[in-house]
């Protein structure tokens, strides 16, 4: 029993060990231990801990009451952000691996540092800067420092428990950097704030004023001030306040009033504010300009200018300036001047009064416009059948041009500001009287302008019909619609361009290639120009005849006719004709078979090439002679033991013949003498069956192969003279 118990316990122990091994392989990583947690920035806490074996990442947790903020990091140290300033947090860390996450570490407390004070900085005087801020939560005091922004010079640093501080004895117009932070009860500094502030500039000195009486403006200059970005010049009077601003050390005050005393002062300013007012300079202006100026043109070419008297005016100068820059003037102690004028000009008139202070300011400038000049160089740049485009040189004083084209009671107009006009909707081949009037808003149209005659281009012809004569000439006829016009007809196709011209109603086009399509148009031309092309009329020439035609004898009564493709031809009709009759075929191909051919007859060969639209070309070729007829009545006779005579009845007409005997022991051939209808074959073996063919021989020496074959048996017994036994007939192969 004891032995049995020990064995059981051993098995149980092994099982527990195995289960422990499996469980340990799947457990979460160890719990990290936090080394330290601290805050350097008011919205974050940094945590450091010892690395946990097997951990792939860590979960940092910051807790403030019910507020929990978590951050996932890869390793130590890690930072939790998004926290509140000056707040105590409970910090924990969990390690994470593929098997899961550990329990949180023992918590460690850490408090975020104080928030940075929000600064409001200003420069109340050129040598001081005031720094203000709002109270910071948990702050016990503040440190504020200031130094030049360029890093030169000393640093001023002050500690205070207040929320404002003033730095004095600073340089005017200088940029300073201000830095401030709060500390808590433990003296731990919080976040700092930094900003730049410039001190305001000092007042400019050495103010100088130069007055321009003609332009009623004052040029003011001064000595530059350190740190000033901008200067403002003030001109104050009892009734007005004028100013100008600049970044330089001088400025011009414009629009000063005549007869007025001004106090001139200069203020310097930058982003910190303005300087205090300096002592002002006094300025007195000149008398005012004369008023109630009137201009009259009593007669063309003469202007009269009058005006009213002004206080303090000793004498007057009237200026008259044309828009081409020419200026004249007159001096007088009266209130009137007279001037000469020209067409198409705008005159600008101004009157000045003078006294001891100088010239009065510019008063109202009046203008007077004379009637515009007429265009004199009207030129047509484009003349078509229904429009005319004309141009001319611009003329003085014209704001608009009115162009009129008159033909009897018909008037066509166009108005444009440009020195060009396109008159459209005109009648073709018509003479128009064209006038260009100049117009200005001040004086209206100049109706004295001359006109000129322009004839429009000819009308487009209308093609009536296109025909072809016996000489393959293409005649084009049109309806003439113009006087003294030359007409040109153009046939344009893939194979070229062909033209003909005539002053009548038709012309002929020659040399057009067969089997082609063309677009035919006609234009008319006169001294005035060319018309638009007529509507296009299609033209198709007859198809081309095949360049070559071949006739081949197939059998004694059947021939094969073949030919090359004719351009433009779709259908072919082939005809062989003789005194015995006619044979014809219709096909879309380039060959056909013709039957019922009589042997030994001359035939004429003709063809019709027909296009897809039905145009027909008649084609003729050399005559054809059909082959000689095959002989009739072929018979064999014995001529001794080894000789054979072949006899036949000659066919119609004269022909040469060739005779062939085909046996198992060889082929034997004979040809008769001229005019005979038999021939002899000697030394032919007996006791064999022979196939006999008698064929006509063509003039070329070619032996015809379609004549019938006959079979004869040549025996070796019996008479040595007489007929050979006929065994049958074979078709020609």
């Amino acid at each position: 029993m004891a032995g049995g118990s020990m064995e059981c316990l051993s098995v149980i122990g092994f099982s527990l060990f195995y289960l422990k091994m499996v469980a340990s392989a799947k457990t979460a990583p160890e719990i990290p231990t936090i080394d330290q947690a601290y805050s350097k920035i008011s919205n974050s806490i940094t945590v450091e801990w010892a690395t946990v074996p097997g951990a792939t990442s860590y979960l940092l947790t910051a807790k403030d009451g019910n507020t929990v903020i978590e951050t996932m990091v890869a390793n130590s140290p890690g930072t939790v952000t998004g926290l509140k300033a000056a707040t105590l947090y409970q910090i924990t860390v969990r390690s994470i691996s593929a098997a899961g996450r550990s329990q949180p570490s023992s918590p460690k407390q850490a408090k975020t540092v104080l928030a940075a004070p929000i600064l409001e900085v200003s420069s109340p005087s050129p040598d001081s800067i005031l720094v203000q801020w709002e109270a910071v939560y948990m702050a016990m005091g503040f440190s504020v420092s200031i130094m030049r922004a360029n890093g030169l010079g000393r640093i001023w640093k002050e500690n205070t428990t207040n929320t404002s501080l003033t730095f004095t004895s600073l340089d005017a117009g200088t940029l300073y950097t201000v830095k401030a932070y709060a500390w808590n009860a433990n003296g731990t500094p919080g976040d700092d704030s930094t900003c730049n502030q410039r001190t305001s500039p000092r007042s400019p000195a050495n103010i100088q004023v130069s007055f321009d009486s003609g332009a009623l403006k004052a040029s003011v200059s001064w000595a530059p001030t350190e740190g000033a970005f901008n200067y403002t010049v003030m001109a104050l009077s009892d009734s007005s306040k004028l100013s100008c601003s600049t970044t330089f050390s001088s400025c011009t005050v414009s629009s000063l009033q005549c007869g007025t005393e001004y106090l001139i002062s200069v203020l310097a300013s930058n982003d910190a504010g303005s300087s205090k007012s300096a002592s002002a300079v006094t300025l007195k202006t000149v008398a005012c300009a004369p008023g109630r100026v009137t201009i009259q043109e009593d007669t063309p070419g003469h202007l009269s200018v009058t005006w009213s008297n002004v206080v303090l005016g000793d004498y007057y100068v009237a200026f008259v300036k044309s828009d081409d820059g020419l200026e004249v003037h007159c001096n007088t102690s009266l209130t009137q001047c007279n001037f000469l004028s020209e067409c198409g000009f705008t005159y600008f008139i101004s009157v000045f009064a003078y006294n001891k202070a100088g010239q009065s300011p510019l008063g109202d400038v009046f203008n007077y416009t004379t009637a515009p000049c007429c265009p004199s160089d009207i030129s047509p740049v484009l003349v078509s059948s229904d429009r005319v485009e004309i141009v001319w040189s611009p003329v003085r004083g014209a704001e608009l041009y009115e162009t009129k084209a008159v033909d009897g009671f018909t008037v066509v107009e166009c108005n444009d500001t440009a020195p060009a006009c396109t008159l459209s909707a005109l009648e073709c081949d018509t003479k128009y009287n064209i006038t260009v009037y100049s117009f200005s808003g001040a004086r209206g149209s100049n109706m004295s302008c001359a006109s000129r005659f322009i004839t429009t281009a000819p009308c487009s012809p209308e093609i009536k019909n296109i025909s072809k004569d016996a000489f393959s000439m293409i005649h084009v006829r049109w309806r003439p619609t113009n006087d003294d016009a030359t007409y040109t007809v153009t046939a344009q196709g893939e194979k070229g361009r062909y033209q003909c011209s005539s002053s009548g109603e038709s012309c002929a086009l020659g040399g057009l290639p067969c089997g082609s399509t063309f677009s035919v148009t006609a234009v008319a031309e006169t001294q005035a120009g060319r018309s638009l092309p007529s509507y296009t009329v299609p033209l198709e020439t007859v198809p081309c005849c095949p360049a070559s035609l071949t006739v081949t004898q197939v059998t004694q009564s059947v021939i094969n006719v073949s030919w090359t493709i004719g351009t433009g031809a779709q259908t072919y009709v082939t005809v062989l004709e003789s005194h015995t009759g006619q044979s014809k075929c219709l096909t879309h191909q380039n060959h056909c078979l013709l039957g019922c051919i009589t042997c030994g007859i001359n035939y004429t060969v003709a063809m019709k090439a027909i296009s897809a639209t039905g145009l027909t070309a008649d084609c003729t070729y050399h005559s054809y002679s059909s082959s000689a007829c095959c002989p009739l009545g072929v018979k064999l006779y014995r001529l001794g033991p080894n000789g054979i005579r072949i006899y036949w009845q000659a066919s119609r007409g004269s022909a040469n013949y060739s005779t062939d005997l085909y046996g198992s022991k060889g082929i034997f051939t004979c040809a008769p003498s001229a005019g005979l209808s038999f021939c002899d074959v000697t030394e032919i073996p007996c006791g064999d069956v022979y196939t006999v063919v008698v064929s006509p021989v063509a003039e070329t020496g070619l032996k015809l192969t379609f004549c019938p074959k006959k079979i004869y048996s040549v025996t070796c017994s019996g008479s040595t003279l007489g007929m050979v036994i006929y065994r049958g007939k074979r078709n020609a192969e």
Side-chain angles (χ1 to χ4, degrees):
M1 290 295 292
S5 299
M6 290 179 62
E7 182 178 359
C8 180
L9 290 173
S10 298
V11 172
I12 293 172
F14 176 79
S15 300
L16 291 174
F17 175 77
Y18 177 78
L19 290 174
K20 182 178 181 182
M21 291 285 290
V22 173
S24 64
K26 295 184 179 181
T27 57
E30 297 178 0
I31 299 173
T33 300
I34 298 176
D35 295 333
Q36 61 175 331
Y38 51 88
S39 172
K40 291 185 177 181
I41 301 175
S42 61
N43 67 344
S44 68
I45 292 176
T46 300
V47 186
E48 296 181 6
W49 64 92
T51 302
V52 175
T56 57
S57 59
Y58 300 88
L59 179 65
L60 308 184
T61 302
K63 185 175 182 182
D64 168 31
N66 295 327
T67 302
V68 177
I69 298 178
E70 295 182 332
T71 300
M72 187 76 70
V73 298
N75 47 42
S76 175
T79 300
V80 183
T81 60
L83 307 181
K84 294 183 293 184
T87 303
L88 183 65
Y89 286 90
Q90 297 286 339
I91 307 298
T92 59
V93 182
R94 293 172 182 258
S95 58
I96 299 174
S97 67
R101 63 173 66 180
S102 70
Q103 293 296 318
S105 66
S106 299
K108 184 176 286 289
Q109 290 186 339
K111 191 175 186 179
T112 52
V113 298
L114 302 182
I118 300 175
L119 303 181
E120 183 178 338
V121 187
S122 62
S123 176
S125 65
D127 62 349
S128 66
I129 290 179
L130 171 63
V131 184
Q132 296 175 300
W133 59 90
E134 294 182 0
V136 175
Y137 176 67
M138 298 296 290
M140 300 301 294
F142 302 90
S143 291
V144 184
S145 62
I146 187 171
M147 66 177 296
R148 281 177 175 263
N150 58 12
L152 302 178
R154 58 169 289 191
I155 300 176
W156 289 271
K157 183 175 182 181
E158 299 286 344
N159 293 331
T160 181
T161 58
N162 298 323
T163 57
S164 67
L165 185 65
T166 300
F167 291 92
T168 59
S169 301
L170 304 179
D171 295 328
T174 303
L175 183 64
Y176 286 88
T177 298
V178 179
K179 182 177 181 181
Y181 62 87
W183 69 81
N184 59 16
N186 298 326
T188 303
D191 292 349
D192 58 56
S193 291
T194 303
C195 64
N196 290 333
Q197 175 63 45
R198 192 181 306 272
T199 52
S200 59
R202 299 190 185 277
S203 299
N206 194 23
I207 299 174
Q208 302 291 328
V209 180
S210 175
F211 177 63
D212 185 346
S213 61
L216 272 181
K217 61 183 180 181
S219 296
V220 184
S221 62
W222 54 88
T225 299
E226 179 69 26
F229 291 174
N230 192 51
Y231 299 93
T232 301
V233 177
M234 304 294 296
L236 301 178
S237 70
D238 294 337
S239 60
S240 65
K241 177 180 179 181
L242 301 174
S243 65
C244 69
S245 296
T246 181
T247 58
F248 302 102
S249 60
S250 64
C251 184
T252 299
V253 180
S254 302
S255 302
L256 297 176
Q257 295 178 357
C258 57
T260 305
E261 181 176 342
Y262 289 93
L263 293 177
I264 306 296
S265 60
V266 181
L267 297 179
S269 61
N270 59 18
D271 51 358
S274 300
S275 65
K276 303 298 182 181
S277 302
S279 58
V281 177
T282 301
L283 172 67
K284 294 181 179 180
T285 60
V286 296
C288 295
R292 291 186 294 177
V293 178
T294 60
I295 303 104
Q296 291 182 338
E297 188 177 14
D298 298 329
T299 59
H302 294 83
L303 294 180
S304 174
V305 182
T306 61
W307 57 89
S308 63
N309 275 314
V310 295
V311 178
L312 300 179
D314 295 336
Y315 65 96
Y316 304 93
V317 178
F319 292 90
V320 176
K321 185 175 183 179
S322 59
D323 50 11
D324 65 349
L326 181 64
E327 184 177 68
V328 295
H329 68 277
C330 78
N331 294 347
T332 181
S333 59
L334 304 177
T335 58
Q336 180 177 348
C337 280
N338 296 313
F339 300 92
L340 296 176
S341 62
E342 297 181 37
C343 72
F345 277 110
T346 296
Y347 293 95
F348 300 93
I349 297 97
S350 57
V351 182
F352 294 90
Y354 289 81
N355 59 20
K356 293 180 180 180
Q359 177 182 291
S360 67
L362 178 65
D364 292 333
V365 177
F366 299 89
N367 64 75
Y368 182 87
T369 303
T370 56
C373 300
C374 290
S376 59
D377 57 347
I378 301 172
S379 302
V381 295
L382 185 145
V383 178
S384 67
S385 300
D386 62 347
R387 62 191 176 100
V388 172
E389 182 179 340
I390 57 176
V391 296
W392 56 88
S393 299
V395 296
R396 290 195 311 267
E399 301 174 5
L400 181 71
Y401 298 96
E402 299 175 332
T403 305
K404 292 185 179 182
V406 180
D407 170 33
F409 297 102
T410 302
V411 179
V412 179
E413 299 183 25
C414 79
N415 299 332
D416 205 327
T417 57
C421 176
T422 299
L423 296 163
S424 56
L426 303 179
E427 296 294 332
C428 56
D429 197 36
T430 302
K431 188 175 184 180
Y432 285 90
N433 185 9
I434 297 178
T435 308
V436 179
Y437 303 97
S438 56
F439 174 87
S440 70
R443 290 293 175 268
S445 297
N446 190 338
M447 302 305 294
S448 62
C449 301
S451 62
R452 64 166 296 175
F453 288 95
I454 297 177
T455 302
T456 54
C459 304
S460 299
E462 177 186 352
I463 297 177
K464 295 167 60 177
N465 60 69
I466 300 176
S467 61
K468 177 182 177 184
D469 62 14
F471 301 100
S472 298
M473 297 295 291
I474 304 298
H475 293 271
V476 182
R477 291 177 174 80
W478 56 85
R479 190 187 312 279
T481 54
N482 306 285
D483 296 330
D484 300 326
T486 299
Y487 298 88
T488 301
V489 174
T490 301
Q492 183 71 50
E494 293 182 356
K495 295 188 177 180
R497 182 183 183 189
Y498 300 84
Q499 288 184 321
C500 65
S501 298
S502 172
S503 58
E505 301 181 8
S506 66
C507 68
L509 293 167
L512 271 66
C514 59
S516 303
T517 57
F518 295 90
S519 296
V520 181
T521 58
V523 295
E525 186 172 4
T526 63
Q527 291 183 348
R530 289 171 61 90
S531 71
L532 294 173
S534 66
Y535 292 117
T536 299
V537 177
L539 170 64
E540 178 185 1
T541 56
V542 296
C544 298
C545 291
S548 63
L549 182 143
T550 303
V551 182
T552 304
Q553 194 89 27
V554 179
T555 67
Q556 184 169 285
S557 64
V558 177
I559 63 171
N560 179 61
V561 184
S562 60
W563 53 87
T564 57
I565 300 298
T567 303
Q570 186 180 41
T571 306
Y572 302 91
V573 178
T574 307
V575 178
L576 267 66
E577 189 170 9
S578 70
H579 65 279
T580 61
Q582 183 186 80
S583 183
K584 179 167 64 174
C585 75
L586 173 67
T587 181
H588 290 295
Q589 299 176 335
N590 65 331
H591 60 85
C592 70
L593 292 175
L594 291 174
C596 300
I597 300 299
T598 304
C599 55
I601 297 297
N602 284 336
Y603 284 89
T604 60
V605 181
M607 174 181 286
K608 290 183 182 293
I610 305 171
S611 70
T613 59
L615 291 180
T616 302
D618 294 320
C619 313
T620 58
Y621 299 92
H622 294 294
S623 61
Y624 170 72
S625 297
S626 61
S627 64
C629 301
C630 292
L632 304 174
V634 177
K635 297 178 181 179
L636 271 64
Y637 294 91
R638 293 288 296 270
L639 296 176
N642 296 319
I644 292 294
R645 170 168 290 180
I646 302 95
Y647 174 81
W648 60 87
Q649 296 179 9
S651 60
R652 178 174 59 253
S654 59
N656 294 324
Y657 295 92
S658 175
T659 303
D660 296 301
L661 283 79
Y662 302 90
S664 62
K665 299 178 181 179
I667 300 173
F668 303 90
T669 302
C670 67
S673 301
L676 298 180
S677 58
F678 66 88
C679 68
D680 298 333
V681 178
T682 59
E683 301 300 328
I684 185 171
C686 62
D688 200 355
V689 176
Y690 291 91
T691 299
V692 180
V693 180
V694 181
S695 304
V697 179
E699 295 180 357
T700 60
L702 181 64
K703 186 188 303 181
L704 302 181
T705 60
F706 49 73
C707 289
K709 301 176 181 180
K710 290 189 177 183
I711 300 174
Y712 292 90
S713 176
V714 180
T715 62
C716 294
S717 60
S719 172
T720 59
L721 183 63
M723 291 189 63
V724 180
I725 300 173
Y726 174 60
R727 298 290 298 273
K729 179 179 180 181
R730 295 181 62 187
N731 293 329
E733 296 179 356

